[in-house]
Amino acid sequence: MELYEAIINDVLCYNLEQHVAFVVRIKAPAYQMFNENTDAEFKKLDLTGVKLDVRYNEGKFTRFNLVCETKDSKSPYIVNLLVHYDLIEILKLNLIMAEVKKNLNESPENKAPYQVVTLDELEKNFAGSKLVNHRVGIGYELVAAKS
């Protein structure tokens, strides 16, 4: 058996003048156990109630939250990603070199046309960018395996 954590890929913004887009990879609070014969079940995870909520003001992100809502809960569960920075990875995607792929969870050995950047670099490049905040896919990352 293997334990997988859901990874959400959201295009946060793009800047056509700089020919870049920024994608945020978020470790979602959703886990599933699978054995080697359950590939079809990977597609059953529904994260429609999980959204990225961002606010940008005067050169800084003032809100960078992962909001998790369910039908059963009265109020959403909110994760402040500015505090829990270990749950996100920010990718700077070169739009000229990139053939945009739906699955950004592929390993870096595939020479993906992106680089990992810091939140500070995202903030520097965010001015003049168009906010998109659009989900481009859900992937899975292996957390633990039982031999």
Side-chain angles (χ1 to χ4, degrees):
M1 294 294 284
E2 297 173 331
L3 177 65
Y4 286 85
E5 181 174 31
I7 302 292
I8 299 172
N9 297 313
D10 278 6
V11 173
L12 182 62
C13 63
Y14 68 92
N15 188 317
L16 290 179
E17 290 176 10
Q18 296 177 1
H19 306 289
V20 296
F22 288 91
V23 175
V24 179
R25 292 184 75 234
I26 305 164
K27 293 181 181 183
Y31 298 89
Q32 291 206 19
M33 299 254 335
F34 299 105
N35 63 33
E36 57 197 48
N37 300 323
T38 56
D39 291 339
E41 292 185 37
F42 275 139
K43 295 177 175 58
K44 291 184 180 178
L45 186 59
D46 180 18
L47 294 176
T48 54
V50 180
K51 301 193 181 341
L52 182 62
D53 179 23
V54 295
R55 298 278 192 268
Y56 181 79
N57 189 24
E58 297 180 9
K60 292 284 182 194
F61 285 101
T62 56
R63 183 184 304 164
F64 213 93
N65 293 336
L66 183 65
V67 180
C68 309
E69 296 180 294
T70 63
K71 296 173 191 172
D72 302 330
S73 65
K74 292 180 183 177
S75 62
Y77 176 74
I78 298 173
V79 179
N80 183 343
L81 297 172
L82 293 173
V83 174
H84 298 285
Y85 194 69
D86 56 317
L87 299 178
I88 64 171
E89 184 175 48
I90 302 168
L91 308 175
K92 181 179 180 182
L93 184 65
N94 184 327
L95 296 175
I96 293 176
M97 295 175 56
E99 174 181 323
V100 178
K101 299 177 183 177
K102 289 187 179 186
N103 185 0
L104 294 175
N105 292 321
E106 294 178 9
S107 63
E109 295 86 43
N110 294 340
K111 301 190 185 210
Y114 62 83
Q115 67 185 61
V116 178
V117 297
T118 64
L119 185 62
D120 289 336
E121 184 168 342
L122 173 63
E123 285 178 337
K124 281 188 232 175
N125 288 282
F126 196 79
S129 296
K130 301 280 186 200
L131 179 65
V132 177
N133 200 9
H134 178 74
R135 178 149 317 143
V136 290
I138 298 172
Y140 300 89
E141 189 172 275
L142 181 64
V143 176
K146 182 180 175 185
S147 357

